[in-house]
Coordinates of all heavy atoms in Angstrom, one line a residue:
H208 N 25.1 -22.5 -6.8 CA 23.8 -22.6 -7.4 C 23.3 -21.2 -8.0 O 22.8 -21.0 -9.1 CB 22.8 -23.0 -6.5 CG 21.3 -23.1 -6.9 ND1 20.9 -24.0 -8.0 CD2 20.2 -22.4 -6.6 CE1 19.7 -23.8 -8.4 NE2 19.1 -22.8 -7.5
L209 N 23.5 -20.1 -7.1 CA 23.2 -18.7 -7.6 C 24.0 -18.3 -8.8 O 23.6 -17.7 -9.7 CB 23.4 -17.8 -6.4 CG 22.3 -17.9 -5.3 CD1 22.8 -17.1 -4.2 CD2 20.9 -17.6 -5.8
I210 N 25.4 -18.6 -8.8 CA 26.2 -18.2 -9.8 C 25.9 -19.0 -11.1 O 25.9 -18.4 -12.1 CB 27.7 -18.6 -9.4 CG1 28.1 -17.7 -8.3 CG2 28.7 -18.2 -10.6 CD1 28.0 -16.1 -8.5
H211 N 25.5 -20.2 -10.9 CA 25.0 -21.0 -12.1 C 23.8 -20.3 -12.8 O 23.7 -20.2 -14.0 CB 24.8 -22.5 -11.8 CG 24.3 -23.2 -12.9 ND1 25.1 -23.6 -13.9 CD2 23.0 -23.8 -13.1 CE1 24.3 -24.3 -14.8 NE2 23.1 -24.4 -14.4
K212 N 22.9 -19.8 -11.9 CA 21.6 -19.2 -12.4 C 22.0 -17.9 -13.1 O 21.3 -17.4 -14.1 CB 20.6 -18.9 -11.3 CG 19.9 -20.2 -10.8 CD 19.1 -19.9 -9.6 CE 17.8 -19.0 -10.1 NZ 17.0 -18.7 -8.9
M213 N 23.0 -17.2 -12.6 CA 23.5 -16.0 -13.3 C 24.2 -16.1 -14.5 O 24.6 -15.1 -15.2 CB 24.3 -15.1 -12.2 CG 23.3 -14.7 -11.0 SD 24.5 -14.2 -9.6 CE 25.6 -13.1 -10.5
D214 N 24.8 -17.3 -14.7 CA 25.7 -17.6 -15.9 C 25.2 -17.3 -17.2 O 24.0 -17.7 -17.5 CB 26.3 -19.0 -15.8 CG 27.2 -19.4 -16.8 OD1 28.4 -18.8 -16.8 OD2 27.0 -20.0 -17.8
V215 N 25.8 -16.5 -17.9 CA 25.3 -16.1 -19.3 C 26.3 -16.5 -20.4 O 26.2 -16.1 -21.5 CB 25.1 -14.5 -19.4 CG1 23.9 -14.2 -18.5 CG2 26.4 -13.9 -19.0
D216 N 27.2 -17.4 -20.1 CA 28.1 -17.8 -21.2 C 27.4 -18.4 -22.4 O 27.8 -18.2 -23.5 CB 29.1 -19.0 -20.6 CG 30.2 -18.3 -19.7 OD1 30.4 -17.0 -19.7 OD2 30.8 -19.0 -18.9
E217 N 26.4 -19.2 -22.1 CA 25.7 -19.8 -23.2 C 24.9 -18.7 -24.1 O 25.0 -18.8 -25.4 CB 24.6 -20.7 -22.6 CG 23.8 -21.5 -23.7 CD 22.8 -22.6 -23.2 OE1 22.8 -22.8 -21.9 OE2 22.1 -23.1 -24.0
E218 N 24.4 -17.7 -23.5 CA 23.7 -16.6 -24.2 C 24.8 -15.8 -25.1 O 24.5 -15.5 -26.3 CB 23.0 -15.7 -23.2 CG 21.7 -16.1 -22.7 CD 21.9 -17.3 -21.7 OE1 23.0 -17.4 -21.1 OE2 21.0 -18.0 -21.4
L219 N 26.0 -15.6 -24.4 CA 27.0 -14.9 -25.1 C 27.5 -15.7 -26.2 O 27.8 -15.1 -27.4 CB 28.1 -14.5 -24.1 CG 27.7 -13.6 -23.0 CD1 28.9 -13.3 -22.0 CD2 27.4 -12.3 -23.5
D220 N 27.7 -17.0 -26.1 CA 28.2 -17.8 -27.1 C 27.1 -17.8 -28.3 O 27.6 -17.9 -29.6 CB 28.4 -19.3 -26.6 CG 29.5 -19.4 -25.8 OD1 30.5 -18.5 -25.8 OD2 29.7 -20.4 -25.0
R221 N 25.9 -17.9 -28.0 CA 24.8 -17.9 -29.1 C 24.8 -16.5 -29.7 O 24.6 -16.4 -31.0 CB 23.5 -18.1 -28.5 CG 23.2 -19.6 -28.3 CD 21.7 -19.9 -28.2 NE 21.2 -19.5 -26.9 CZ 20.9 -20.2 -25.8 NH1 21.4 -21.5 -25.8 NH2 20.4 -19.6 -24.7
L222 N 25.0 -15.4 -29.0 CA 25.1 -14.1 -29.6 C 26.4 -14.1 -30.7 O 26.2 -13.5 -31.7 CB 25.3 -13.0 -28.7 CG 24.0 -12.7 -27.9 CD1 24.4 -11.6 -26.7 CD2 23.1 -11.9 -28.8
D223 N 27.5 -14.7 -30.3 CA 28.6 -14.8 -31.2 C 28.3 -15.5 -32.4 O 28.5 -15.1 -33.5 CB 29.7 -15.5 -30.5 CG 30.4 -14.7 -29.5 OD1 30.4 -13.4 -29.7 OD2 31.2 -15.1 -28.6
S224 N 27.5 -16.6 -32.3 CA 27.1 -17.4 -33.5 C 26.1 -16.7 -34.4 O 26.3 -16.8 -35.6 CB 26.4 -18.8 -32.8 OG 25.9 -19.5 -34.0
H225 N 25.2 -16.0 -33.8 CA 24.2 -15.2 -34.6 C 24.9 -14.2 -35.3 O 24.5 -13.9 -36.5 CB 23.1 -14.8 -33.7 CG 22.3 -15.8 -33.0 ND1 21.9 -17.0 -33.7 CD2 21.6 -15.8 -31.9 CE1 21.2 -17.8 -33.0 NE2 20.9 -17.0 -31.8
L226 N 25.8 -13.5 -34.7 CA 26.6 -12.4 -35.4 C 27.4 -13.0 -36.6 O 27.6 -12.3 -37.6 CB 27.5 -11.7 -34.4 CG 26.8 -10.8 -33.3 CD1 27.8 -10.3 -32.4 CD2 26.0 -9.7 -33.9
Q227 N 28.0 -14.1 -36.4 CA 28.7 -14.7 -37.5 C 27.8 -15.1 -38.6 O 28.3 -15.0 -39.8 CB 29.5 -16.0 -36.9 CG 30.4 -16.7 -38.0 CD 31.4 -15.8 -38.6 OE1 32.2 -15.1 -37.9 NE2 31.5 -15.7 -39.9
E228 N 26.7 -15.6 -38.3 CA 25.7 -15.9 -39.3 C 25.2 -14.7 -40.0 O 25.0 -14.7 -41.3 CB 24.5 -16.6 -38.7 CG 23.3 -17.0 -39.7 CD 23.7 -18.2 -40.6 OE1 24.8 -18.7 -40.3 OE2 23.0 -18.4 -41.5
M229 N 25.1 -13.5 -39.4 CA 24.7 -12.2 -39.9 C 25.7 -11.9 -41.0 O 25.4 -11.6 -42.2 CB 24.5 -11.2 -39.0 CG 23.4 -11.3 -38.0 SD 21.9 -10.7 -38.7 CE 22.3 -8.9 -39.0
N230 N 27.0 -12.0 -40.6 CA 28.1 -11.7 -41.6 C 28.0 -12.6 -42.9 O 28.3 -12.1 -44.0 CB 29.4 -11.7 -41.0 CG 29.8 -10.5 -40.0 OD1 30.2 -9.5 -40.6 ND2 29.3 -10.5 -38.7
D231 N 27.7 -13.9 -42.6 CA 27.7 -14.8 -43.7 C 26.6 -14.5 -44.6 O 26.7 -14.6 -45.8 CB 27.7 -16.2 -43.1 CG 28.9 -16.7 -42.4 OD1 30.0 -16.1 -42.7 OD2 28.9 -17.6 -41.6
V232 N 25.4 -14.2 -44.0 CA 24.2 -14.1 -44.8 C 24.4 -12.8 -45.7 O 24.0 -12.8 -46.9 CB 23.0 -13.9 -43.9 CG1 21.8 -13.4 -44.8 CG2 22.7 -15.2 -43.3
L233 N 25.0 -11.8 -45.2 CA 25.1 -10.5 -45.8 C 26.1 -10.7 -47.1 O 26.1 -9.7 -48.0 CB 25.6 -9.4 -45.0 CG 24.6 -8.9 -44.0 CD1 25.2 -8.0 -42.9 CD2 23.5 -8.1 -44.7
K234 N 26.8 -11.7 -47.1 CA 27.7 -11.9 -48.3 C 27.0 -12.7 -49.4 O 27.6 -12.8 -50.5 CB 29.0 -12.7 -47.8 CG 29.9 -11.9 -46.9 CD 31.0 -12.8 -46.4 CE 31.9 -12.1 -45.3 NZ 33.0 -12.9 -44.8
R235 N 25.7 -13.2 -49.2 CA 25.2 -14.0 -50.2 C 24.6 -13.2 -51.3 O 24.1 -12.2 -51.1 CB 24.0 -14.9 -49.5 CG 24.6 -15.8 -48.4 CD 23.4 -16.7 -47.9 NE 23.9 -17.5 -46.8 CZ 23.2 -18.3 -46.1 NH1 21.8 -18.5 -46.4 NH2 23.6 -19.1 -45.1
D236 N 24.6 -13.8 -52.5 CA 24.0 -13.1 -53.6 C 22.7 -13.8 -54.0 O 22.4 -14.4 -54.8 CB 24.9 -13.4 -54.9 CG 24.5 -12.6 -56.1 OD1 23.7 -11.5 -55.9 OD2 24.9 -12.9 -57.2
E237 N 21.7 -13.4 -53.0 CA 20.3 -13.8 -53.1 C 19.5 -13.0 -52.2 O 20.1 -12.1 -51.4 CB 20.3 -15.3 -52.6 CG 20.7 -15.5 -51.2 CD 20.7 -17.0 -50.8 OE1 21.6 -17.8 -51.4 OE2 20.0 -17.3 -49.9
A238 N 18.2 -13.2 -52.2 CA 17.3 -12.5 -51.4 C 17.5 -13.0 -49.9 O 17.3 -14.1 -49.6 CB 15.8 -12.6 -51.8
V239 N 17.8 -12.1 -48.9 CA 18.3 -12.5 -47.7 C 17.5 -11.9 -46.5 O 17.7 -12.1 -45.3 CB 19.8 -12.2 -47.2 CG1 20.6 -13.0 -48.2 CG2 20.1 -10.7 -47.5
G240 N 16.5 -11.0 -46.9 CA 15.6 -10.2 -46.0 C 15.0 -11.1 -44.9 O 15.1 -10.7 -43.7
R241 N 14.4 -12.3 -45.3 CA 13.7 -13.1 -44.3 C 14.6 -13.7 -43.3 O 14.3 -13.8 -42.2 CB 12.7 -14.1 -45.1 CG 11.6 -13.5 -45.8 CD 10.6 -14.7 -46.3 NE 9.5 -14.1 -47.0 CZ 9.5 -14.0 -48.4 NH1 10.5 -14.4 -49.0 NH2 8.4 -13.6 -48.9
R242 N 15.7 -14.1 -43.9 CA 16.7 -14.8 -43.0 C 17.2 -13.9 -41.9 O 17.4 -14.2 -40.8 CB 17.7 -15.3 -43.8 CG 18.7 -16.3 -43.0 CD 19.8 -16.9 -43.8 NE 19.2 -17.9 -44.7 CZ 19.1 -19.2 -44.3 NH1 19.4 -19.7 -43.1 NH2 18.5 -20.0 -45.0
L243 N 17.5 -12.7 -42.4 CA 18.0 -11.5 -41.5 C 16.9 -11.2 -40.4 O 17.3 -11.0 -39.3 CB 18.4 -10.3 -42.2 CG 19.6 -10.4 -43.2 CD1 19.8 -9.1 -44.0 CD2 20.9 -10.7 -42.3
D244 N 15.8 -11.2 -40.8 CA 14.6 -10.9 -39.9 C 14.6 -11.9 -38.8 O 14.4 -11.6 -37.8 CB 13.4 -10.8 -40.7 CG 12.2 -10.2 -39.8 OD1 12.4 -9.1 -39.3 OD2 11.2 -10.9 -39.6
F245 N 14.7 -13.2 -39.2 CA 14.7 -14.4 -38.4 C 15.8 -14.2 -37.3 O 15.7 -14.4 -36.1 CB 14.8 -15.7 -39.1 CG 15.0 -16.8 -38.1 CD1 14.0 -17.4 -37.4 CD2 16.2 -17.4 -38.0 CE1 14.2 -18.4 -36.6 CE2 16.4 -18.5 -37.1 CZ 15.3 -19.0 -36.4
L246 N 17.0 -13.8 -37.8 CA 18.2 -13.7 -36.9 C 18.0 -12.5 -35.9 O 18.5 -12.5 -34.7 CB 19.5 -13.3 -37.8 CG 20.0 -14.6 -38.6 CD1 21.1 -14.2 -39.5 CD2 20.5 -15.6 -37.5
M247 N 17.2 -11.5 -36.4 CA 16.9 -10.5 -35.4 C 16.2 -10.9 -34.2 O 16.3 -10.5 -33.1 CB 16.1 -9.3 -36.1 CG 16.9 -8.4 -37.1 SD 18.4 -7.6 -36.5 CE 19.6 -8.8 -36.9
Q248 N 15.1 -11.8 -34.4 CA 14.4 -12.4 -33.5 C 15.3 -13.2 -32.5 O 15.1 -13.1 -31.1 CB 13.3 -13.4 -34.1 CG 12.3 -12.6 -34.9 CD 11.3 -13.6 -35.5 OE1 10.9 -14.6 -34.9 NE2 10.9 -13.3 -36.8
E249 N 16.2 -14.0 -33.0 CA 17.1 -14.7 -32.1 C 18.0 -13.8 -31.3 O 18.3 -14.0 -30.1 CB 18.0 -15.8 -33.1 CG 17.2 -16.7 -33.7 CD 16.3 -17.6 -32.9 OE1 17.1 -18.3 -31.9 OE2 15.2 -17.7 -33.0
L250 N 18.6 -12.8 -31.9 CA 19.5 -11.9 -31.1 C 18.7 -11.2 -30.0 O 19.2 -11.1 -29.0 CB 20.0 -10.8 -32.2 CG 21.0 -11.3 -33.1 CD1 21.4 -10.1 -34.1 CD2 22.4 -11.5 -32.3
N251 N 17.4 -10.8 -30.3 CA 16.5 -10.2 -29.3 C 16.3 -11.0 -28.1 O 16.2 -10.7 -27.0 CB 15.4 -9.6 -30.0 CG 14.6 -8.6 -29.1 OD1 15.2 -7.5 -28.8 ND2 13.4 -9.0 -28.7
R252 N 16.1 -12.3 -28.6 CA 15.8 -13.4 -27.4 C 16.9 -13.4 -26.5 O 16.8 -13.5 -25.3 CB 15.5 -14.8 -28.1 CG 15.1 -15.8 -27.1 CD 14.9 -17.2 -27.7 NE 13.5 -17.1 -28.4 CZ 13.5 -17.1 -29.8 NH1 14.5 -17.3 -30.5 NH2 12.3 -16.9 -30.4
E253 N 18.1 -13.5 -27.0 CA 19.4 -13.6 -26.3 C 19.6 -12.3 -25.5 O 20.0 -12.5 -24.3 CB 20.6 -14.0 -27.1 CG 20.6 -15.2 -27.9 CD 20.2 -16.4 -27.2 OE1 20.5 -16.5 -26.0 OE2 19.5 -17.4 -27.7
A254 N 19.4 -11.3 -26.0 CA 19.5 -10.0 -25.3 C 18.5 -10.0 -24.1 O 18.9 -9.4 -23.0 CB 19.3 -8.9 -26.2
N255 N 17.3 -10.4 -24.3 CA 16.3 -10.4 -23.3 C 16.8 -11.4 -22.1 O 16.6 -11.1 -20.7 CB 15.0 -10.8 -23.7 CG 14.2 -9.8 -24.5 OD1 14.5 -8.5 -24.2 ND2 13.4 -10.1 -25.4

Side-chain angles (χ1 to χ4, degrees):
H208 178 67
L209 290 172
I210 295 303
H211 178 72
K212 290 178 63 176
M213 294 164 47
D214 182 66
V215 293
D216 284 345
E217 187 176 347
E218 285 74 18
L219 296 176
D220 288 343
R221 281 199 290 263
L222 284 168
D223 283 337
S224 176
H225 296 329
L226 290 173
Q227 182 59 51
E228 179 68 11
M229 287 281 295
N230 280 271
D231 293 341
V232 169
L233 288 169
K234 295 176 183 177
R235 299 181 183 180
D236 188 16
E237 60 184 65
V239 297
R241 289 193 181 94
R242 185 175 294 273
L243 290 174
D244 189 57
F245 171 75
L246 287 170
M247 288 302 99
Q248 298 176 35
E249 295 302 304
L250 286 171
N251 195 61
R252 181 179 293 111
E253 304 306 331
N255 284 329

